[in-house]
Amino acid sequence: MAAVGEGTPSSRGPRRDPPRRPPRDGYGVYVYPNSFFRYEGEWKGGRKHGHGKLLFKDGSYYEGAFVDGEIMGEGRRHWAWSGDTFSGQFVLGEPQGYGVMEYKAGGCYEGEVSHGMREGHGFLVDRDGQVYQGSFHDNKRHGPGQMLFKNGDKYDGDWVRDQRQGHGVLRCADGSTYEGQWHSDVFSGLGSMAHCSGVTYYGLWINGHPAEQATRIAVLGPEVMEVAQGSPFSVNVQLLQDHGEIAKSESGRVLQISAGVRYVQLSAYSEVSFFKVDRDNQETLIQTPFGFECIPYPVSSPAAGVPGPRAAKRGTEADVPLPRRDLELDLDALCGQEGTPSGLLAGGHTPHCPGACRRVDQGCAEFTDVLLGPPPPGYHPFLFLDSLHKKAGSRSRGGLHPGGTPPTAQEPPGGSRPEGSATEEQPAAAYPGEYVLMIHDVTTPPFLGRTLPPAFKHLRVVAKRADRPPHVLEEGPEASSGWQAHGCTPEPPAPR
């Protein structure tokens, strides 16, 4: 009698199927015991061999060639954790050789790879659309390469671990070009820049900035320049560095000259007390570093290559002796002559470009044939009382006007005249008195985003004297050292 329960189902454990083995040859599907891998494709001798697809439990996969159970040859690999996909050559399961990597974050790479990293020559487009073509090492741009940035700039040169370093050329979208040394992705070392504004700089760069860049403008000459009334003169300008040296590495910056007349004059230097300005010509007062305010005043300087009054008067006219005249200011000689066009300045000089500009050459610039014209329309001069008395006495002696008939004074607008003052007819040149020359940096666009602060020069217009040439500045002790001849000697510091 058989034992109780022998052979009954309740006495046996759960039935288990023997483990499934991979297919030997041909096409088959196999799920690995850990359930993480699933392969479907070709088999040979119990190994994956041929074309197949290996799926991972996290969603990653490889589809392509297998050799003796290994991922080997052409294929496509997708990583679920990053979203990236590589199509190309594989060796022992890793991208190796040549292929295309598509990045989930944007962009792609096509070129040589080693152990799954960019290595060798390739073409990279990042997620911002920037394009690099050149050498790679350890997944970074390294060696010679070219890059087109999203702002339109183009770089062609050396790279070290994803940074521009060595020698390279940067062509900016605005037309500027830099060629020279780089370090840590910025200009560093010897290099030259041709800026879109026309400024050029050749010299040393430190951390992306010119080491010898101009920081201020200096007007050469004595502390107070004196010029003869109605005579053209020259203004020499330098661009200086922080430590006072001339910025010879820089050229092409555009400087503009303008002028102002002292708003309230001193009787020691002028017979004009002040200018009454029409309401339609009201100007903002300009603060100067000389302790007084001024209002804008017309100044002209012909463009380079255009002959000015100084050149026109050279020759036989330069040898004609000046007529003798009293040292007393001859206001009548300044009045406009009948039949003379009102726009024609003294000496037959017509302003070519008011507020004329010059380009700097190796840190220096010169404005030639600068001329202060007559007061503009709307500027009505009021004379000091003592000047009126002197003039009246001169007229009574008949020394100024044949026949003793003085010119008619112009009344200010409204027909009224302030007590103790009077107006004069418009002269053919600037009245004697105190003026200010201003040199502005008008480079457009500003060189490297920086505009130099304006420079000022105190100018004194004096009546012509018979004992000096008409176009010579009355030079001070500083001028006698030869600043005008050389034009590149730093300006002496102004007294504090």
Side-chain angles (χ1 to χ4, degrees), residues 140-143 158-166:
K140 299 181 182 295
R141 292 164 291 187
H142 191 90
D158 298 327
W159 295 77
V160 174
R161 299 186 63 81
D162 260 352
Q163 291 188 328
R164 290 167 287 186
Q165 189 157 313

Side-chain angles (χ1 to χ4, degrees), residues 205-240:
W205 297 74
I206 299 177
N207 293 329
H209 301 283
E212 301 172 353
Q213 184 181 7
T215 58
R216 60 190 177 95
I217 305 172
V219 184
L220 303 186
E223 182 179 346
V224 179
M225 292 174 58
E226 289 194 356
V227 298
Q229 181 185 22
S231 298
F233 55 94
S234 295
V235 178
N236 291 276
V237 179
Q238 292 177 344
L239 302 187
L240 302 182

Side-chain angles (χ1 to χ4, degrees), residues 6 22 59 69 98 136 143 202 226 256 261 267 288 293 306 321 347 379 397 409 423 445 451 467:
E6 181 179 351
Y98 190 90
F136 289 85
Y202 178 80
E226 289 194 356
Q256 183 184 61
V261 59
S267 59
T288 73
E293 297 173 326
V306 179
Y379 279 40
R397 293 191 301 268
T423 60
T451 298
D467 58 348

Side-chain angles (χ1 to χ4, degrees), residues 411-430:
E411 293 288 347
S416 62
R417 184 178 299 171
E419 184 178 356
S421 63
T423 60
E424 277 295 320
E425 290 185 358
Q426 292 292 339

Side-chain angles (χ1 to χ4, degrees), residues 74-158:
E74 293 286 336
R76 179 181 178 86
R77 176 82 157 86
H78 174 76
W79 292 267
W81 63 272
S82 65
D84 300 339
T85 302
F86 177 80
S87 302
Q89 298 173 333
F90 288 81
V91 174
L92 299 178
E94 290 185 323
Q96 182 87 13
Y98 190 90
V100 176
M101 179 74 80
E102 300 174 69
Y103 302 100
K104 181 182 179 180
C108 64
Y109 169 79
E110 180 177 357
E112 297 174 319
V113 293
S114 178
H115 300 289
M117 305 181 74
R118 298 186 291 262
E119 188 77 26
H121 189 273
F123 184 89
L124 175 67
V125 180
D126 65 17
R127 60 184 178 183
D128 295 323
Q130 301 181 129
V131 180
Y132 172 85
Q133 183 174 9
S135 296
F136 289 85
H137 175 67
D138 199 21
N139 221 38
K140 299 181 182 295
R141 292 164 291 187
H142 191 90
Q146 302 173 344
M147 185 158 184
L148 174 62
F149 295 88
K150 63 180 180 180
N151 64 355
D153 294 353
K154 299 178 182 179
Y155 173 79
D156 185 359
D158 298 327

Side-chain angles (χ1 to χ4, degrees), residues 282-301:
Q282 290 293 329
E283 298 281 1
T284 303
L285 293 177
I286 302 172
Q287 300 292 333
T288 73
F290 310 119
F292 58 82
E293 297 173 326
C294 64
I295 56 176
Y297 194 86
V299 63
S300 65
S301 178

